[in-house]
Amino acid sequence: MRIPSATYRLQLGPGFGFPEVAALLEYLEALGITDLYFSPVFRARPGSAHGYDVLDPTRLNPEFGSPEEFRTLAEEVRLRGLGWLQDIVPNHMAYDGRNPYLADILENGEQSAHRNLFDVDWNPPFESLRGRVLAPLLGSFYGEALERGEIRIVYSEEGFRVTYFDQAFPLGIDSYPDLLAPGVPGLRRALGEDDPDFVRYLGVLYTLRTLASTQELEERGAQVRFIKRLLRELYRGNPEVRRAVDAALAARNGRPGEPESFQGLDRLLSGQGFRLCFWKVATEELNYRRFFSINELISVRVEREEVFRETHALVLDLVRQGIATGLRVDHVDGLYDPGAYLERLRSEAPEAYVVVEKILEPGEELPAAWPVQGTTGYDFLNCVNGIFVDPRSRRAFDRLYASLRGVRESLSNLVYEKKKLLLYHHMAGDLDNLARLLKEISASYRHAIDITLYGLKRALAEVMAAFPVYRTYGGSSWSREADSAYLREAVKRARERCPDLVNELGFLEGFLLLEFPAWLPEPDRERWTHFLKRFQQYTGPLTAKGFEDTVLYVFNRLLALNEVGSSPERFGTPVEEFHTFNRRRLETWPHALSATATHDTKRGEDVRARLAVLSELPEEWSRAVGSWRRLNARLRRGRKGRKLPDRNDEYALYQTLVGAWPFCPEEVPAFRERLRNYLVKAVREAKVHTGWLKPNAEYEEAYVAFAEGALDPGGDFLPEFLPFQRRVAHHGVINSLSQVLLKTACPGVPDFYQGTELWDLSLVDPDNRRPVDYELRRRLLADIRNRFEASPPLLLAHLLTHPEDGGVKLFLAWRGLGVRQEHPALFQEGDYLPLDVEGPYAEHAVAFARRLRGRWALAVAPRLTVGLVGEGAWPLGEAVWGDTRLRLPAGAPATWSDAFTNLPVSGAEELPVGTILQNFPVALLLGAEG
């Protein structure tokens, strides 16, 4: 198995595909990257900026380049000795008529070979959906869209299709006679009964009408393809056939302004394998499982072996060819049985490096038996982020935030309320389906027969809203010891909130814990287990939508802590806890990714690094916010006794400005535009004053106008804001450098999101998917390498004098990754030894050593530097650090070499921090015993 030394995430998209990546290989290799980490490369919706809306996982995305260009890239990667970590999407595909599997199902109904590929309930309680799948893709009510002529039947190369703007779904093959038969009399008159084309037209109709008697799916499929090809030839080659078909379509499609003319089209649509409806219908009435609450993404039943093999054919072929050396599994918690899926994946790819996108709550462990190398690294991200937050400021921030909001609201209660909001307003259909499944399974169980569907639904909602982790893994051999405790804790919380549900919750608890009565037959036990696995598929998406995509935009006490996989209630990470995390990681998942930014993070890694500085300035921050609110008070719009935006959103804006304000003035105009888009997304995600389901244009416009008014160059805000922001930004730079060093030297595989080798001041997607200027990075890296070779001291002096261009961060990444490549075993397997820091400024440094077979590396990173150095100063030398020193472990070398300065450092038993950090803000020392 190939274990990466460092990965680099690349977001492919239109304009940045296989040829563009091939042109980057030399640069990435020079940077020290060993493995390219690709976003999905499979055929997705045209223009997709992320690739997760997969249309066909067995085909490469043609927008990224030709098959030849893909093979050229793969060969170049191989020749350079680089690895290929491929992101795969096993949970869902795009709900789109261009999805060949979905199209086949809609066209052939129960006769489709792919009928069981998607997670659809073909026999729901709604009569209008029996044997059909809901298609919630209309922008208005079905009847309105129909009578406006927006829904039409067209004929194209693919056959008859139902169209709605850019969406097109195949008409069921059984509906073809309804459209073709009316043309027979006219064609008989125009062509004559003996005309070959007329005979062939009749043959098409006859074959269509006898299709139902064809039992073999393969034979039926061949006949359908033959019919469609023959009809296409007739339509192309005979004007009379073309006129007959066009006339039938014109008559069937109806005429806007004449409602009765749409009766025929309505009847035709009612017989299709899909039911078109207003997109909001899916929030309450649904018969397919979605990805989160996204109607346009339909889940796949990858737990079925034949589905797994079909949907994984291409990626497993890439593994067998040696192109893909690793796999990143997206949204593993959405799978029916994640452990079983991973075991099957491992059996097909025994030598692949595999990591899973899995969010772990603090203290939660990844299932130890999973055959993977670890997670994608959100646990590391939040742990390392926390060490730059000063926990002593918690009460000051609590007071400030309570004064702004006018209420002290616990985070746990807010999470509970937002999950309930999501369940009843965005995922009500999913909740109904889950409750109905439970009612159906328990109908013959005498202790549940008196529990109503409504009671079960309420109980399920309460338990899901109270769930303490993303999901459990009960009902399988992969269950953790803690899973039962998590389930019991959720039920306990639900009981405390809803004592009137004591009977329903008691029954549900036993059901979820699989506490089978002794007399329960085996088939019923299997159905209980099936329900538990279904239940577990929904708690993760609910937490993601309710917490990540809602609460993290509402609870704005300190935005540095609001990140995927975070717990904003935890105000900082003690250094001892950071060391414990790293030791545990080395023992259990030494090859997991260490991320500090991903395509899903809420803000760039250097934005977080800046915002953490605010925790060191609680009083100054409070005064600044108060002053800024007074300066900008006139910009808030009045509406029905309220001022827009509210104080919580105003407070979030100030933090966003502090964290994301550009280094260079020439970037400010572009930042203003990016900020406008971000603010609208943020308040919609918060779901307080506006939302995606029901946008409030007045509030959104008021928020954007407030921000634009505050940033008026002639106003009073910027002159007061900018000096404060510059001070924070400088200490943020120090935090950022420490963060890069820790990611590079800690146990795990350092992962770099595209472009973040320079300053990452991006906001949430799509802002973090903007094009990356690689030409700038090439030039900077080449210059850094040349200057370093000529004179490291002069280079370092230059980098610290001009930190705004990001060269200092690029230098640190380049040298750190170079050291990892020179000593791969030391960083992959070496012991992790926390170092005691002693002296007057001990709390301002975190230090540890890595040790393996006589080789040593020692990392020193400053933290909480506001109390260490003044504005614009660097934490360098004994004048800053005084008598602060590191206590070395027994057996440590007495002579070291600094990877960043190329200077020697000596000391027995202890090393002065001021000596180590004489010329650069962080240090990575290398040494050998003896």
Side-chain angles (χ1 to χ4, degrees):
M1 179 183 297
R2 176 192 175 94
I3 303 298
S5 178
T7 59
Y8 191 94
R9 170 77 176 201
L10 292 160
Q11 288 292 123
L12 302 184
F16 185 72
F18 305 136
E20 289 76 19
V21 173
L24 288 180
L25 296 183
E26 183 177 1
Y27 161 73
L28 294 175
E29 190 176 23
L31 179 61
I33 300 301
T34 63
D35 291 68
L36 308 180
Y37 172 6
F38 286 90
S39 65
V41 297
F42 317 105
R43 183 176 169 238
R45 277 180 166 164
S48 174
H50 47 76
Y52 289 100
D53 45 359
V54 175
L55 291 174
D56 187 348
T58 67
R59 297 287 185 272
L60 293 171
N61 194 330
E63 293 188 322
F64 298 164
S66 66
E68 292 73 22
E69 288 170 321
F70 175 80
R71 285 193 291 270
T72 298
L73 170 61
E75 180 63 11
E76 184 66 20
V77 169
R78 185 189 68 80
L79 289 174
R80 289 180 177 274
L82 300 172
W84 183 307
L85 176 59
Q86 181 58 60
D87 194 351
I88 61 175
V89 193
N91 183 72
H92 61 270
M93 291 189 208
Y95 194 139
D96 191 294
R98 291 163 291 196
N99 183 322
Y101 305 99
L102 183 62
D104 185 73
I105 293 170
L106 300 181
E107 186 170 71
N108 295 292
E110 294 182 2
Q111 301 299 318
S112 169
H114 305 295
R115 182 76 167 179
N116 294 316
L117 190 143
F118 297 106
D119 204 343
V120 177
D121 179 3
W122 297 107
N123 191 33
F126 317 110
E127 185 64 34
S128 64
L129 280 177
R130 298 280 170 80
R132 309 170 74 192
V133 60
L134 195 73
L137 305 171
L138 303 182
S140 60
F141 285 104
Y142 165 77
E144 297 173 1
L146 184 74
E147 293 179 9
R148 283 196 298 263
E150 294 171 353
I151 303 172
R152 302 178 59 80
I153 308 294
V154 301
Y155 183 73
S156 67
E157 292 291 309
E158 294 83 10
F160 290 108
R161 302 177 78 76
V162 181
T163 66
Y164 176 76
F165 293 101
D166 62 341
Q167 283 283 3
F169 291 97
L171 200 68
I173 199 71
D174 294 338
S175 298
Y176 276 43
D178 289 346
L179 294 171
L180 297 177
V184 171
L187 285 173
R188 182 182 284 113
R189 289 191 299 271
L191 298 175
E193 290 193 354
D194 295 331
D195 183 87
D197 282 350
F198 179 67
V199 173
R200 290 201 292 170
Y201 191 90
L202 291 179
V204 167
L205 270 173
Y206 174 79
T207 308
L208 284 167
R209 286 167 173 158
T210 58
L211 270 176
S213 62
T214 303
Q215 298 301 312
E216 292 294 331
L217 294 182
E218 187 174 340
E219 180 185 348
R220 186 180 192 279
Q223 287 200 29
V224 168
R225 290 190 294 274
F226 171 77
I227 292 168
K228 293 175 72 175
R229 183 169 64 250
L230 183 56
L231 182 60
R232 184 167 62 245
E233 291 171 358
L234 287 169
Y235 186 86
R236 281 179 184 169
N238 192 307
E240 293 297 336
V241 172
R242 183 160 54 253
R243 274 193 287 270
V245 172
D246 291 347
L249 291 177
R252 189 59 65 101
N253 278 324
R255 296 170 296 281
E258 301 177 27
E260 68 280 0
S261 69
F262 291 93
Q263 291 293 97
L265 179 55
D266 184 38
R267 283 195 299 272
L268 185 69
L269 292 174
S270 68
Q272 299 311 304
F274 54 93
R275 184 192 126 198
L276 285 169
C277 68
F278 187 26
W279 65 272
K280 292 184 180 181
V281 169
T283 63
E284 299 180 10
E285 189 175 292
L286 189 68
N287 73 324
Y288 68 93
R289 189 169 60 84
R290 303 170 292 179
F291 173 73
F292 291 4
S293 57
I294 303 173
N295 294 347
E296 294 82 5
L297 296 176
I298 184 170
S299 293
V300 175
R301 299 185 65 187
V302 74
E303 65 271 14
R304 299 174 66 96
E305 183 175 357
E306 70 275 15
V307 174
F308 174 91
R309 294 196 177 281
E310 185 161 15
T311 57
H312 286 63
L314 173 58
V315 72
L316 291 177
D317 186 51
L318 296 180
V319 171
R320 294 185 189 106
Q321 291 183 54
I323 294 174
T325 56
L327 300 173
R328 181 260 194 194
V329 180
D330 181 65
H331 188 45
V332 72
D333 275 348
L335 303 179
Y336 183 76
D337 188 337
Y341 166 83
L342 293 169
E343 186 175 54
R344 180 171 287 157
L345 184 67
R346 175 57 72 197
S347 70
E348 296 293 334
E351 295 303 316
Y353 169 84
V354 178
V355 289
V356 292
E357 185 204 30
K358 163 65 186 171
I359 309 300
L360 295 166
E361 293 292 334
E364 183 187 3
E365 295 282 350
L366 193 67
W370 278 7
V372 299
Q373 275 57 64
T375 72
T376 54
Y378 285 112
D379 48 352
F380 176 84
L381 182 156
N382 285 290
C383 187
V384 75
N385 180 57
I387 67 171
F388 302 109
V389 173
D390 191 339
R392 295 169 296 191
S393 297
R394 176 177 185 141
R395 289 186 179 179
F397 273 78
D398 284 343
R399 288 193 299 271
L400 171 61
Y401 195 48
S403 70
L404 288 168
R405 298 203 71 187
V407 62
R408 285 184 180 269
E409 184 176 24
S410 72
L411 179 64
S412 61
N413 189 62
L414 183 61
V415 172
Y416 166 79
E417 292 295 340
K418 293 303 182 181
K419 283 187 177 182
K420 290 282 291 292
L421 172 72
L422 263 293
L423 275 171
Y424 284 112
H425 293 277
H426 297 251
M427 299 174 67
D430 303 292
L431 178 61
D432 277 345
N433 291 341
L434 204 56
R436 289 180 188 278
L437 176 63
L438 179 56
K439 182 65 175 173
E440 176 188 334
I441 292 174
S442 62
S444 60
Y445 181 53
R446 55 180 173 264
H447 293 288
I449 199 167
D450 290 333
I451 297 179
T452 67
L453 178 63
Y454 177 70
L456 288 177
K457 181 178 174 179
R458 284 188 62 207
L460 280 168
E462 291 298 329
V463 171
M464 293 171 77
F467 225 67
V469 293
Y470 276 68
R471 76 162 281 172
T472 50
Y473 305 95
S476 70
S477 58
W478 314 97
S479 181
R480 302 167 296 186
E481 289 184 12
D483 284 340
S484 294
Y486 291 136
L487 286 164
R488 292 184 193 279
E489 181 181 348
V491 175
K492 178 176 178 290
R493 292 180 183 178
R495 281 197 183 99
E496 291 170 352
R497 284 194 169 98
C498 299
D500 61 311
L501 290 175
V502 60
N503 293 324
E504 289 86 349
L505 290 168
F507 162 69
L508 182 59
E509 181 175 30
F511 215 98
L512 294 175
L513 292 170
L514 301 181
E515 294 175 343
F516 304 121
W519 49 265
L520 196 69
E522 186 60 33
D524 285 354
R525 296 180 182 220
E526 291 175 359
R527 297 175 80 201
W528 279 36
T529 303
H530 169 65
F531 171 79
L532 174 59
K533 291 182 176 181
R534 272 292 193 210
F535 170 86
Q536 291 172 149
Q537 280 184 288
Y538 283 103
T539 58
L542 176 61
T543 300
K545 293 302 294 180
F547 176 69
E548 290 177 26
D549 293 344
T550 305
V551 169
L552 293 185
Y553 293 92
V554 178
F555 188 79
N556 298 326
R557 181 181 58 179
L558 178 60
L559 291 184
L561 300 172
N562 289 24
E563 196 47 85
V564 178
S566 70
S567 178
E569 187 65 25
R570 294 166 56 86
F571 205 91
T573 303
V575 171
E576 297 76 15
E577 185 177 320
F578 173 75
H579 289 315
T580 299
F581 171 87
N582 283 317
R583 283 197 299 259
R584 179 65 178 160
R585 206 168 197 234
L586 181 62
E587 294 169 2
T588 54
W589 306 104
H591 307 311
L593 291 183
S594 299
T596 46
T598 78
H599 58 288
D600 282 331
T601 42
K602 300 303 180 186
R603 48 194 53 83
E605 62 183 50
D606 300 315
V607 176
R608 288 195 309 273
R610 284 180 176 180
L611 291 174
V613 176
L614 298 179
S615 71
E616 303 179 64
L617 300 165
E619 302 305 324
E620 292 175 60
W621 171 240
S622 181
R623 288 195 297 272
V625 170
S627 177
W628 299 343
R629 289 186 61 226
R630 289 189 293 272
L631 290 174
N632 295 325
R634 61 182 177 81
L635 301 174
R636 297 176 73 202
R637 296 180 182 178
R639 173 66 174 170
K640 295 180 180 180
R642 296 188 303 130
K643 291 288 189 177
L644 310 182
D646 74 10
R647 291 184 294 180
N648 191 41
D649 289 333
E650 181 182 1
Y651 181 56
L653 169 65
Y654 295 143
Q655 291 186 72
T656 301
L657 292 175
V658 169
W661 192 262
F663 279 101
C664 303
E666 59 268 23
E667 297 176 11
V668 171
F671 169 71
R672 291 173 188 264
E673 181 60 33
R674 292 168 45 219
L675 179 68
R676 292 187 196 103
N677 297 329
Y678 169 75
L679 295 179
V680 172
K681 174 167 182 171
V683 290
R684 286 188 181 181
E685 295 283 28
K687 305 171 188 68
V688 175
H689 302 290
T690 183
W692 298 107
L693 289 181
K694 191 176 181 180
N696 182 338
E698 180 185 38
Y699 189 87
E700 294 171 7
E701 290 167 4
Y703 195 19
V704 170
F706 177 87
E708 290 178 338
L711 299 182
D712 182 351
D716 297 327
F717 170 70
L718 284 178
E720 187 172 306
F721 164 78
L722 289 174
F724 180 87
Q725 194 279 331
R726 281 193 291 268
R727 181 184 179 198
V728 170
H730 175 73
H731 290 279
V733 166
I734 302 170
N735 284 350
S736 294
L737 298 179
S738 292
Q739 183 171 249
V740 174
L741 172 67
L742 296 175
K743 177 168 69 172
T744 303
C746 284
V749 177
D751 172 45
F752 289 77
Y753 182 67
Q754 63 176 25
T756 61
E757 61 270 34
L758 297 186
W759 300 127
D760 176 21
L761 301 179
S762 59
L763 300 167
V764 73
D765 71 281
D767 191 64
N768 61 10
R769 291 198 298 265
R770 287 171 293 136
V772 177
D773 187 346
Y774 282 111
E775 185 54 39
L776 169 64
R777 286 158 176 77
R778 278 195 190 95
R779 290 198 310 269
L780 275 175
L781 182 58
D783 184 60
I784 285 169
R785 294 175 70 181
N786 290 336
R787 287 179 181 236
F788 185 76
E789 185 175 345
S791 173
L794 289 178
L795 168 64
L796 298 184
H798 169 76
L799 294 175
L800 295 179
T801 304
H802 303 282
E804 65 280 354
D805 66 1
V808 64
K809 185 182 181 186
L810 180 63
F811 164 77
L812 175 54
W814 167 63
R815 285 299 296 148
L817 295 182
V819 169
R820 282 189 68 97
Q821 282 190 290
E822 293 166 9
H823 307 284
L826 174 62
F827 289 96
Q828 289 180 4
E829 308 167 26
D831 298 333
Y832 180 89
L833 306 173
L835 300 183
D836 290 331
V837 186
E838 301 173 349
Y841 301 105
E843 68 175 9
H844 295 283
V846 57
F848 58 86
R850 306 297 305 276
R851 175 185 64 189
L852 181 70
R853 295 188 289 272
R855 297 292 311 180
W856 288 71
L858 191 155
V860 184
R863 58 188 287 268
L864 308 181
T865 56
V866 169
L868 194 63
V869 294
E871 183 173 352
W874 298 99
L876 302 176
E878 293 182 4
V880 171
W881 291 97
D883 191 32
T884 308
R885 58 200 178 280
L886 303 182
R887 181 68 59 185
L888 297 179
T895 302
W896 304 80
S897 175
D898 190 327
F900 302 129
T901 66
N902 268 2
L903 296 174
V905 177
S906 300
E909 298 185 357
E910 63 182 33
L911 292 174
V913 173
T915 301
I916 298 172
L917 303 181
Q918 185 69 41
N919 299 291
F920 199 62
V922 300
L924 182 59
L925 309 183
L926 299 172
E929 295 176 10

